[in-house]
């Protein structure tokens, strides 16, 4: 352990662990975001083009339920695991191996049911990795560095989206090549963390919130959970169906460039990714120095709402670009400050893995609710030439705004 890593009560946290966590988190997003936003939708479209939207909704719904349960169980088990590999690392290794094994099942699926089985296995094993990995943040990162570390971890989502966008834009790549690239990057990115020697327990002092009265800790926990649920519902209700939305708008004569829908989506995602990266990097550094992370989360919900409102108002290339810029700024601000906020207000570090798993329901429940909502909206009649897609974006924006309002009421942070 270096002298720089131990001063100021930082425990084992230093550049080495920061790089390992940042790489593993980015690799995790690369593992699942292109899969759920591009690879699985394209496989579903190949096996059943007529019912692709409904099949995708069902796959996302069941996968989200499995992800939610497995994340909580993995966090709880890792809290109580004692082994030569550490508390979290045995579950990290198991999850990575299992998630890699799920890719071929999805790739070679010939029916919607086959895709469903592959995605369920992936969600189960991936969350055995992802839940315990996130618990390393409260275990080993002090409050004064949580924003900075969260900035690095926030790069995971835009990087995952960017990889998906690049894969979408490279139309000459075969389907097996796309799967192989994602799997290879995932394995390489998590390898440094899997090889790290994990300490037997937490190495930094408890957060300030852990010393607060139990009633306030429970209230903050509930408000932060509600905020995450509503904002993530807004995010889930928009981006998963972006490919189908753009294709429908272009087919109905909207003012889009004459390019394939996948290529258009690739450009849009790259726009929001660049905005997210800049915003996320700045947000972590600033929030460590100013405090008030809950207020940053509140602003992020407003930005996401504004982006979705632009999408819903008038589908066109210009409005799509503006909407993605606003959306990207909101996601970047949210991804950094919400991660740091949640790690700071956990009721007890002894149950950090379990509690983060419960918080993760705020990520995965929207993945279940959004497809269910899509089934109702898209199956409706009388929506006009664009079907129910504009209504979905309007609902997504309203949900994100409510999530931002909920974050403003959190009190257990400076």
């Amino acid at each position: 352990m270096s002298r720089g890593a131990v001063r100021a009560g930082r425990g084992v946290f230093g550049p080495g662990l920061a790089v390992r966590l940042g790489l593993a988190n980015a690799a995790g997003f690369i593992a699942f975001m292109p899969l759920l936003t591009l690879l699985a939708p394209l496989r579903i479209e190949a096996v059943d083009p007529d019912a692709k939207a409904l099949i995708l909704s069902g796959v996302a719904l069941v996968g989200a339920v499995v992800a939610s349960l497995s994340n909580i169980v993995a966090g709880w088990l890792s809290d109580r695991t004692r082994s030569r590999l550490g508390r979290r690392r045995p579950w990290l290794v198991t999850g990575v191996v299992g998630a890699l094994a799920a890719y071929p099942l999805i790739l070679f699926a010939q029916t919607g049911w086959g895709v469903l089985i592959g995605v369920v296995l992936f969600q189960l094993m991936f969350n055995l990795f992802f839940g315990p990995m996130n618990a390393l943040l409260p275990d080993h990162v002090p409050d004064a560095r949580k924003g900075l570390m969260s900035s690095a971890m926030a790069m995971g989502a835009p990087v995952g989206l960017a990889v998906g966008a690049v894969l979408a834009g490279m139309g000459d790549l075969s389907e097996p090549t796309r799967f192989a690239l994602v799997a290879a990057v995932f394995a390489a990115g998590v390898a440094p963390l899997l090889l790290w020697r994990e300490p037997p327990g937490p190495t930094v002092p408890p957060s300030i919130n852990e010393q607060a009265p139990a009633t306030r800790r429970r209230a903050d926990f509930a408000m932060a959970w509600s905020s995450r649920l509503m904002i993530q519902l807004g995010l889930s209700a928009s981006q998963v169906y972006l490919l189908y939305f753009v294709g429908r708008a272009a087919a109905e004569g909207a003012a889009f460039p004459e390019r394939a829908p996948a290529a258009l989506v690739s450009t849009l995602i790259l726009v929001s990714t660049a905005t997210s990266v800049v915003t996320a990097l700045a947000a972590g550094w600033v929030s460590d120095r100013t405090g008030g992370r809950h207020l940053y989360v509140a602003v992020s919900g407003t930005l996401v709402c504004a982006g979705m409102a632009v999408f819903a108002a008038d589908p066109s290339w210009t409005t799509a670009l503006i909407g993605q810029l606003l959306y990207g700024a909101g996601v970047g601000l949210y991804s950094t400050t919400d991660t740091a906020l949640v790690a700071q207000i956990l009721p007890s570090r002894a149950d950090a893995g379990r509690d983060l798993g419960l918080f993760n329901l705020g990520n995965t429940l929207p993945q279940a609710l959004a497809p269910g909502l899509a089934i109702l909206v898209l199956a409706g009649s009388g929506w006009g030439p664009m079907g129910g897609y504009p209504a979905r974006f309007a609902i997504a924006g309203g949900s994100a705004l409510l999530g931002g309002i909920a974050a403003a009421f959190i009190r257990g942070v400076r």
Side-chain angles (χ1 to χ4, degrees):
M1 187 186 307
S2 69
R3 292 170 58 187
V6 298
R7 68 175 181 267
R10 289 169 60 189
V12 301
F13 181 68
L17 179 56
V19 170
R20 286 180 171 88
L21 271 176
L23 282 175
N25 188 67
F29 278 91
I30 290 171
F32 82 86
M33 293 194 82
L35 176 68
L36 299 182
T37 61
L38 176 69
L39 300 180
L42 288 176
R43 181 95 292 262
I44 291 169
E45 187 172 31
V47 300
D48 195 341
D50 294 332
K52 61 185 180 182
L54 293 178
I55 293 175
L56 178 60
S57 297
V59 168
L61 175 62
V62 176
V65 172
V66 172
S68 301
L69 296 177
S70 58
N71 196 285
I72 295 172
V73 171
W76 180 81
L77 289 172
S78 70
D79 286 337
R80 286 150 183 79
T81 296
R82 300 294 182 270
S83 75
R84 294 176 60 187
L85 292 177
R87 293 198 302 166
R88 317 293 183 188
R89 200 152 62 121
W91 302 101
L92 303 182
V93 174
T94 302
V96 168
V97 173
L100 290 172
Y103 283 126
L105 292 180
I106 303 169
L107 171 61
F108 296 113
Q110 297 300 313
T111 65
W113 284 107
V115 177
L116 174 64
I117 292 171
V119 169
V120 164
L121 177 62
F122 175 84
Q123 291 279 34
L124 171 64
M125 302 307 297
F126 178 78
N127 280 279
L128 291 185
F129 155 77
F130 210 59
M133 185 203 70
N134 285 327
L136 294 174
L137 182 61
D139 281 353
H140 304 298
V141 182
D143 285 353
R145 297 290 185 271
K146 281 184 169 68
L148 192 61
M149 187 67 244
S150 295
S151 288
M153 297 181 74
M155 294 301 98
V159 167
L161 283 171
V163 170
V166 170
L167 292 176
M170 299 175 68
D172 56 339
L173 285 182
S174 67
E175 194 174 11
T177 300
R178 288 174 172 172
F179 272 88
L181 286 173
V182 170
V185 173
F186 176 42
V190 300
L193 184 62
L194 299 185
L195 296 174
W196 174 63
R197 180 173 294 181
E198 181 192 359
T203 60
V204 295
S207 295
I208 296 174
N209 188 67
E210 197 170 340
Q211 312 301 319
T215 52
R216 195 183 76 183
R217 280 184 283 144
R218 286 194 295 267
D220 283 346
F221 186 97
M223 200 60 69
W225 189 91
S226 300
S227 171
R228 176 175 286 191
L229 176 71
M230 300 305 294
I231 292 179
Q232 289 287 356
L233 179 59
L235 304 184
S236 298
S238 59
Q239 297 299 292
V240 170
Y241 296 90
L242 186 59
L243 178 65
Y244 298 163
F245 169 79
V246 169
R248 180 69 175 267
E252 293 296 333
F256 280 87
E258 293 184 1
R259 294 162 57 194
L264 294 174
V265 170
S266 173
T267 300
L268 290 175
I269 291 176
L270 288 174
V271 166
S272 61
T273 297
T275 310
S276 295
V277 168
V278 173
T279 308
L281 288 174
W285 183 83
V286 172
S287 70
D288 274 344
R289 284 153 180 76
T290 64
R293 301 191 208 273
H294 59 308
L295 299 180
Y296 290 95
V297 175
V299 173
S300 74
T302 304
L303 288 172
V304 171
C305 176
M308 296 302 97
V310 172
F311 267 106
D314 178 30
S316 71
W317 185 239
T318 299
T319 56
L321 287 172
I322 294 172
Q324 281 294 104
L325 279 170
L326 293 170
Y327 171 87
V331 169
L333 183 59
Y334 169 76
S335 57
T336 293
T337 53
D338 178 72
T339 299
L341 174 67
V342 168
Q344 191 172 338
I345 66 169
L346 289 175
S348 170
R349 281 193 312 173
D351 296 310
R354 181 204 64 190
D355 291 342
L356 285 172
L358 292 173
F359 263 111
N360 191 61
L361 287 174
N363 297 330
T364 55
L365 277 180
Q367 296 174 33
L369 296 174
L373 180 62
I375 292 173
L376 294 176
V377 173
L378 296 176
S381 59
W383 290 105
M386 282 299 299
Y389 289 109
R392 283 186 52 75
F393 283 108
I395 293 170
S399 179
L401 181 61
L402 289 175
I405 292 172
F409 287 92
I410 296 173
R411 293 289 177 260
V413 289
R414 63 181 177 87

